[in-house]
Amino acid sequence: MSLLDVRNLMVSHGQIEVLHDVSLAVGEGEIVAVIGPNGSGKTTLLRTLAGVLRPRRGTIALAGRALAGEPAWRVVRHGIALVPEGRRIFADQTVRANLELGAVSHGHLDGLDAAIARFPALRERLDQPAGALSGGQQQMLAIARGLMARPRVLLLDEPSLGLAPRLVRETFEVVRGIRAEGVSVLLVEQLAALALEVADRGYVLDRGRIVAEGAARALAADPRIVRAYLGQRSARGVSSGPECQPAP
Amino acid sequence: MYGLVALGYHVTWATSRTLNFSQGHVVMVGAVVAYAVHVAAGWPLVIALGVTVIASAAFGLVVERVAVRPFFRTGSPVWLLSTIALGIIVENVAMLTFGKDARAFPSTLALKPVFVLGAGVYPQELLLPVVGVALMGATQLFYHRTFYGRQLKAVAWDSEAAGLMGIDVPRAVAVAYALSAVLAGVAGVLLAPLLNVSPTMGTLIGLKAFAVAIIGGLGSAAGIVVAGFLYGLVEALVAGYVSTGAREIVGFAVVIAMLVVRPWGLGGARPARRV
């Protein structure tokens, strides 16, 4: 059985149904990408998994424990942490305070050193207000803060948003590093081609439905998917340089 | 004397971006409870203070649960009216149980005035700013130096992100409401000997404290305490040299001027654009 198992999820905003019958799975130590056009429900999917939104129907299970309908602050205690779109850092507090807040769910602050070791750029800025960081550093802080919760599955919503190509590559390197430590990653990304390069498996979400799924390489090689979903975006900004080769 | 009550507005604002508009009524509840325990039942003042703290905290929790929480998640500003409504209900309950008449609250600190720079003041009046500053300091320490205080700040900044961190947002807001009500309740006990205790004593105090909170800046505890002093001073000067009738006019005119010139208040920071 998969670590994270989502079945027949249906979510609506008011009267409008945003997700219809979405099922997906994330295995232990796996990177899974969800790609798809704007407005297809990717962010809604992650927000539902994190407990921000309540699904109307369907189940969410982490290691066999049912989590659908639990509030966010309880879901994170069970091991699902969301790094939200747009970072949502606490800009009025210091970088250190932000990292510490990431650990509220279990109260142990000893992960701070590991977080700083992973993101050296944050080290010199620990006591500065988080709002003074650059966009790239804020993204790093948001990811570091998410990891402070010691999740078993990290949900990443558009980590590349608004970042320069070099920083996008760095972010994806970080994602690989996270997996190397045994944390599974569910990644939602506009830069679909790049997401599929880093992921093991992928799902294509279109208008609230999963329309394709499979090994990331297979999806990236499927001409129909390339035409419909990878077209222009893959060319934008990020070249597939040698440092972007899929993990061996 | 308004600073303490105004500080209560700051506490809930700083956590939930909502306000308890029955804050003035909590002052009254504090005074009435202290009267019942200390004067009517004859228990020592320390016990009366303890009971008041518990009673106002409980009232704060009720306000949050009944008048704020149902509207907090949806972002609707209905709490504005519902907290006022709850205050009116409490006022009427007090009318029925306590009676309409104002009653004196004897205190050894309000018997003989002492003379400071030629002006006669009761020691009780000097106690107020001391307690006010002390409680402001404590609140600031709580918010900036304790982990739970920083969690409340995180809720204020972005309650959804705070929830993602594992912060129990509804509980954090409830704590802020209890804390805010305790400040007002304590103010009620301190004010009781100076004013008389009556069900309507809190209404104007709540309103003026709100004026002070606006002048000082809802986001700034220090600004509020300074504004509390200034407001009291200006009131006394206007009442002394012009007329007592002009007192309220001047006070609220300052609020309007403040909202035009510097809406974030004396001590508040100009709202930063969120990046």
Side-chain angles (χ1 to χ4, degrees):
Chain A
M1 195 184 60
S2 306
L3 178 61
L4 177 66
D5 195 20
V6 179
R7 288 200 188 148
N8 312 108
L9 208 59
M10 182 186 135
V11 182
S12 42
H13 289 313
Q15 297 295 310
I16 305 153
E17 205 174 304
V18 182
L19 294 180
H20 330 270
D21 200 33
V22 169
S23 298
L24 59 79
V26 180
E28 197 96 46
E30 206 180 20
I31 300 180
V32 174
V34 176
I35 62 170
N38 262 333
S40 58
K42 303 191 297 294
T43 292
T44 300
L45 172 64
L46 290 197
R47 283 160 60 86
T48 308
L49 297 183
V52 177
L53 302 173
R54 271 170 168 277
R56 187 154 289 180
R57 267 209 298 278
T59 60
I60 301 166
L62 183 75
R65 183 193 288 270
L67 293 179
E70 295 270 341
W73 63 272
R74 241 197 281 258
V75 168
V76 65
R77 270 155 224 249
H78 291 306
I80 299 181
L82 167 64
V83 178
E85 184 177 4
R87 346 230 194 274
R88 308 283 285 264
I89 57 166
F90 304 111
D92 62 332
Q93 302 202 42
T94 62
V95 170
R96 185 193 302 274
N98 268 270
L99 290 171
E100 288 174 358
L101 286 166
V104 164
S105 53
H106 50 74
H108 300 291
L109 300 177
D110 45 2
L112 199 69
D113 293 331
I116 300 164
R118 188 198 302 276
F119 302 101
L122 299 179
R123 190 197 306 270
E124 303 100 73
R125 298 175 165 266
L126 269 180
D127 295 306
Q128 293 181 18
L133 299 181
S134 70
Q137 288 166 341
Q138 289 191 10
Q139 183 62 58
M140 296 303 161
L141 175 58
I143 295 175
R145 189 182 63 174
L147 287 170
M148 287 293 287
R150 297 182 185 162
R152 300 184 68 182
V153 180
L154 188 70
L155 313 177
L156 287 175
D157 196 353
E158 302 281 2
S160 76
L161 199 73
L163 296 186
R166 186 179 57 82
L167 290 172
V168 171
R169 272 195 295 276
E170 258 176 48
T171 308
F172 281 89
E173 284 309 315
V174 165
V175 171
R176 284 204 183 101
I178 293 168
R179 186 258 300 274
E181 285 167 34
V183 178
S184 305
V185 178
L186 181 60
L187 171 71
V188 151
E189 191 45 74
Q190 283 286 322
L191 301 176
L194 206 69
L196 290 178
E197 273 180 44
V198 73
D200 303 306
R201 288 190 306 114
Y203 293 86
V204 179
L205 189 65
D206 196 348
R207 274 161 283 179
R209 284 177 210 286
I210 300 282
V211 294
E213 63 177 279
R217 275 166 211 250
L219 287 177
D222 185 328
R224 283 171 308 155
I225 287 174
V226 170
R227 204 166 40 240
Y229 303 107
L230 300 182
Q232 298 151 348
R233 295 201 189 282
S234 59
R236 195 191 78 193
V238 183
S239 62
S240 353
E243 64 272 77
C244 278
Q245 289 305 305
Chain B
M1 100 172 173
Y2 305 119
L4 205 51
V5 185
L7 209 55
Y9 286 117
H10 159 73
V11 169
T12 60
W13 181 256
T15 303
S16 64
R17 294 286 179 267
T18 60
L19 298 170
N20 177 6
F21 277 108
S22 61
Q23 191 73 349
H25 295 97
V26 188
V27 175
M28 180 271 290
V29 168
V32 166
V33 168
Y35 181 92
V37 177
H38 180 53
V39 182
W43 295 44
L45 190 60
V46 184
I47 294 184
L49 191 64
V51 174
T52 305
V53 166
I54 294 167
S56 10
F59 183 60
L61 291 176
V62 170
V63 171
E64 192 273 334
R65 195 64 255 262
V66 174
V68 180
R69 189 176 298 189
F71 313 109
F72 181 63
R73 266 189 77 91
T74 55
S76 136
V78 175
W79 50 264
L80 208 151
L81 295 173
S82 54
T83 57
I84 294 175
L86 210 61
I88 294 170
I89 293 172
V90 167
E91 185 175 319
N92 283 290
V93 169
M95 288 259 190
L96 290 172
T97 54
F98 184 81
K100 267 189 221 149
D101 303 324
R103 303 182 197 188
F105 190 106
S107 161
T108 48
L109 293 177
L111 290 177
K112 252 192 283 174
V114 294
F115 288 89
V116 181
L117 303 172
V121 291
Y122 291 120
Q124 183 87 20
E125 289 177 281
L126 297 175
L127 190 63
L128 270 167
V130 173
V131 174
V133 170
L135 286 179
M136 178 207 76
T139 318
Q140 287 294 83
L141 279 178
F142 172 67
Y143 267 92
H144 297 291
R145 295 274 176 270
T146 69
F147 194 35
Y148 197 64
R150 286 199 294 264
Q151 292 180 36
L152 296 190
K153 269 176 77 182
V155 172
W157 184 261
D158 184 336
S159 64
E160 185 181 313
L164 289 173
M165 301 299 107
I167 298 170
D168 183 347
V169 174
R171 198 181 64 183
V173 174
V175 166
Y177 266 79
L179 195 63
S180 150
V182 165
L183 292 176
V186 169
V189 178
L190 291 169
L191 284 169
L194 299 174
L195 313 167
N196 285 324
V197 181
S198 79
T200 50
M201 67 182 282
T203 318
L204 195 58
I205 296 175
L207 212 56
K208 288 184 182 175
F210 183 62
V212 166
I214 294 294
I215 295 172
L218 275 171
S220 157
I224 284 177
V225 170
V226 171
F229 279 125
L230 293 179
Y231 194 92
L233 201 64
V234 169
E235 266 201 336
L237 288 176
V238 172
Y241 291 102
V242 189
S243 80
T244 37
R247 194 169 63 180
E248 265 72 86
I249 299 176
V250 172
F252 289 105
V254 172
V255 175
I256 295 172
M258 200 68 191
L259 284 174
V260 172
V261 180
R262 206 178 145 87
W264 52 90
L266 281 179
R270 183 189 283 268
R273 287 240 326 255
R274 290 187 190 187
V275 199

